[in-house]
Amino acid sequence: MTIEINGTPHDRTPRPGQCLRTYLREEGCFGVKKGCDAGDCGACTVHVDGEPVHSCVYPAFRARGRRVTTIEGLASADGAPHPVQQGFLDAQGFQCGFCTAGMIMTTVALTEAQKSDLPRALKGNLCRCTGYRAILDAVEGRPRAGRAPGSAAVGSSLGAPAGPQIVTGAARYTFDVDVPGLLHLKVLRSPHAHARIVSIDDSAALAVPGVEAVLTHKDAPDRLFSTGQHESEAEDPYDTRVLDEVLRFTGQRVAAVVAVSEAAAEEGVRRLRVEYDVLPAVVDPALALLPGAPLVHGDKGVAQGIARASANVVGELHATLGDVEAGFAAADAVYEATFRTPRVQHASLETHGAVGWLDETGRLVIRSSTQTPFLTRRAVARLFGRPLDTVRVVAGRVGGGFGGKQEMLVEDLVALAVLRTGRPVKWEYTRAEQFTAATTRHPFVITVKAGARRDGALTALRLNVLVNTGAYGNHGPSVMHHGCHETLAVYRCANIRTDACSVYTHTVPAGAFRGYGLGQVTFAVEQTLDEVARMIGMDPVTFREINVVRPGDDLTAPGSHAPDLGIASYGLDQCLDRMRAAAATADDAPPGWLVGEGMAIAMIAAGPPGGHYADASVTLRADGRYELAVGTAEFGNGSTTVHAQIVADELRTTADRIVIRQSDTDVVRHDTGAFASTGVVVAGKAVLLAARSLRAQLLALAGHTPAEVHALDSLSPAGLLARAGGPVTAHGHFDGTPRSVAFNAQFFRVAVDPGTGEVRILRSVHSADAGAVMNPAQLRGQIEGGVAQALGATLAEHVDVDPSGTVTTTAFRQYHLPTVADVPDTEVHFARTTDAIGPLGAKSMSESPYNPVSPALGNALRDAIGIRLTDLPYTADRIWQAMNIVEG
């Protein structure tokens, strides 16, 4: 049979049952992506005889005799991009870019009638990063990227360096490589929430043709580690093994089968026979704290970083400032409520996965979808007792992260399989595994009590927090501490009490997620303060203006003083002014619908405490271009773009003359990782220092002082290279301290249908204090994406776990990710500030837009229906039920 792919005939016959997506990738069309393998996300969209299809559910044999076009085949014969590709490039209609090929292929096939209703036309394509606004600009021909003639690179909306590769399908993600002799790994997962493995019979599995190995706990190193990755290893408890004989959640690894094909590996998994000793389990964190509750890690203790293993407490905080009871006694109004936030999936379209091999010298190489290549190398080397220089970790372009890839969830088992077989091994999570076995956002139960005088001054705050960290404690204590600290430290209150526990249960582990605990606690505190403001008859903006921190204030919260954290620039007042201006507007609502408005604020530290390190180097190359080497990974966070802008301005050149090497532990220097909003404020500062050091060297070569910056304009690279006798390199380092804070504020006006509970957002306004804005279009996109992701968690998203501890949400179609139709336009405003710490005055802004969204919408909903709803998500049925119960 013959299939024409991008104008070229291909005569290889598909395997029985093979889908078109895998066939195309095997033929070298790596732009066709796997996001779901269920027809839910659109990342695999291609054209068959001009019609768009989801190739993951299209049988490959049906393409016989047909014309198949992928993203690689859209360009014209002379190599010019298709107009739609150019539109996405001009509007920067992507962030991580993993969904972009599918979006473009769908858009190319739209008729004029379909273009008149884009929310409907694009409903089959999901994007987790952008919030869809930049995508709509791309489709409708509204450019975002550009640089005014004569303007600096920093401060301009330069496009991402990888943009041309993303829109043509040439960008290489984790599995977009051809590795000869590749084996495939599949995992048998526990059917029980708590059990001990009595025996594993692998004889039938090993008899499957193509199966090369079966790995069990007997093959794994007897060392504990944490899947959570931080520079300071004391951040996370060491409670995990590569393969363990004790299983602590439904979905935990039991054994792995390695085979020559995925089908053989899957069949091998089905043939494994395991005898389990089923043990008592606890899935509710409140019950896990009770005396006599089943213990999750009763065999461990303080030596492994667990606060009270005998009580299922992985971390806790109990601290007081001032006299809380006296503060409540002095209040004219006191309000108390309990709020609940559920599990939420990161839903990165590229699932977790890695491919590993041994190079020609016997070194272990792992190519992984990770935010932390250097920390992952350290963890793998330690687990397997290998010197650090015998392990190499490479991150290609990463298809979304949101904190979920600050974990080592696959690299350890891939390493074990490579070392055991001596062959290259690939393991790619299915979408179901992403829901049932990867990490989620931590579920919180937060009780807040607040008191204030009639003049608006807060007199006391009490916070009681229960965090469900699941079966393993990765990030559990630090998410708890972080969530409590900045949420409280943004307010000036003399009397505060915090009691917080992060608790083990026999459920899927939680982990790092955008906001890192702040979204959950802010959800509760900001709504509680709104009720107090109502009780004293004060508008919410004025109430916050009275109580928020101001320049020079100490950012202290109970038990969490951070001496290196300060207010190095202050734009919160400007953010609040924008909220007041938004409230002064008016919007039309459907007749009979209830209208309300609300706002909320949030503060976030730029980077974690305890150190976050970045090294960078900049080289004047022999070809006259500059090479920037930096370790931080790119997954749509946009740090690569900003880094290139910084180097271009410091060396008085253009960004297109900057060659970037990154995220490869062999070719760049150390970087803690792309998390905690550090891509600009930490790695960017190292880049700035390296560029300035190289500039000084080049000026010195030509006999100029460092102050004579403009002399670079007249110096030729060839002349400088001749003087130096070859390439010239300079280095920069930043250790992440001191740290500044960024501020965000969100306003919503909503309409609620009293007959159905449907919520319609009439106006969305976001104001951000990001310091000096390095790239306006990119920053706007980060905010739009953060707001959209938070709206998903506010209105629809939740990962369900049944009473036995089993995750029952296993596919996108069960989990309502926002589509184009679900996301409103958000009006974005930047405060005018310049930070004294951040590079060139910038602050962090990739996580923080997420945090004030849920409480702002909760406050608007309360204003509309007159009822305070305290549990997320705010689905229409819950809203309708609340209104009708009250009315009844």
Side-chain angles (χ1 to χ4, degrees), residues 400-612:
F402 314 110
K405 293 171 182 175
Q406 194 190 337
E407 307 276 353
M408 188 171 72
L409 298 183
V410 294
E411 297 90 345
D412 57 320
L413 193 51
V414 168
L416 177 62
V418 170
L419 294 173
R420 173 70 180 272
T421 66
R423 299 269 301 278
V425 176
K426 170 189 174 182
W427 184 22
E428 182 178 14
Y429 268 24
T430 65
R431 182 55 59 184
E433 285 181 302
Q434 200 73 20
F435 277 108
T436 61
T439 58
T440 70
R441 188 167 85 145
H442 286 80
F444 273 56
V445 179
I446 313 115
T447 299
V448 186
K449 183 177 181 180
R453 299 195 306 260
R454 286 190 181 88
D455 64 3
L458 282 169
T459 60
L461 283 168
R462 177 179 291 156
L463 193 63
N464 192 295
V465 177
L466 179 62
V467 182
N468 184 352
T469 198
Y472 292 92
N474 44 295
H475 300 282
S478 49
V479 163
M480 176 196 71
H481 281 278
H482 188 245
C484 293
H485 179 257
E486 279 114 289
T487 307
L488 296 176
V490 72
Y491 287 106
R492 298 186 299 163
C493 183
N495 307 299
I496 308 177
R497 171 71 187 180
T498 299
D499 291 284
C501 285
S502 185
V503 178
Y504 285 123
T505 59
H506 291 104
T507 59
V508 61
F513 189 102
R514 194 176 200 165
Y516 212 68
L518 286 176
Q520 295 97 310
V521 182
T522 300
F523 170 70
V525 170
E526 286 294 295
Q527 294 195 78
T528 299
L529 296 183
D530 240 50
E531 286 295 337
V532 173
R534 284 179 177 274
M535 293 170 73
I536 62 175
M538 184 174 289
D539 78 84
V541 174
T542 301
F543 183 74
R544 286 167 175 80
E545 287 173 331
I546 291 169
N547 290 291
V548 294
V549 290
R550 293 165 190 159
D553 285 353
D554 189 22
L555 298 175
T556 300
S560 301
H561 181 61
D564 72 330
L565 186 65
I567 302 173
S569 61
Y570 188 80
L572 181 54
D573 53 346
Q574 298 175 53
C575 294
L576 289 169
D577 286 344
R578 286 292 183 182
M579 299 298 98
R580 179 174 282 110
T585 60
D587 295 283
D588 294 330
W593 288 42
L594 307 173
V595 177
E597 60 188 42
M599 56 80 59
I601 65 168
M603 179 179 77
I604 192 169
H612 192 110

Side-chain angles (χ1 to χ4, degrees), residues 197 199-206 214 216 268 271-275:
I197 298 172
S199 65
I200 299 177
D201 181 353
D202 62 4
S203 57
L206 288 168
V214 174
T216 73
R271 295 195 187 188
L272 289 170
R273 296 293 176 262
V274 183
E275 181 183 352

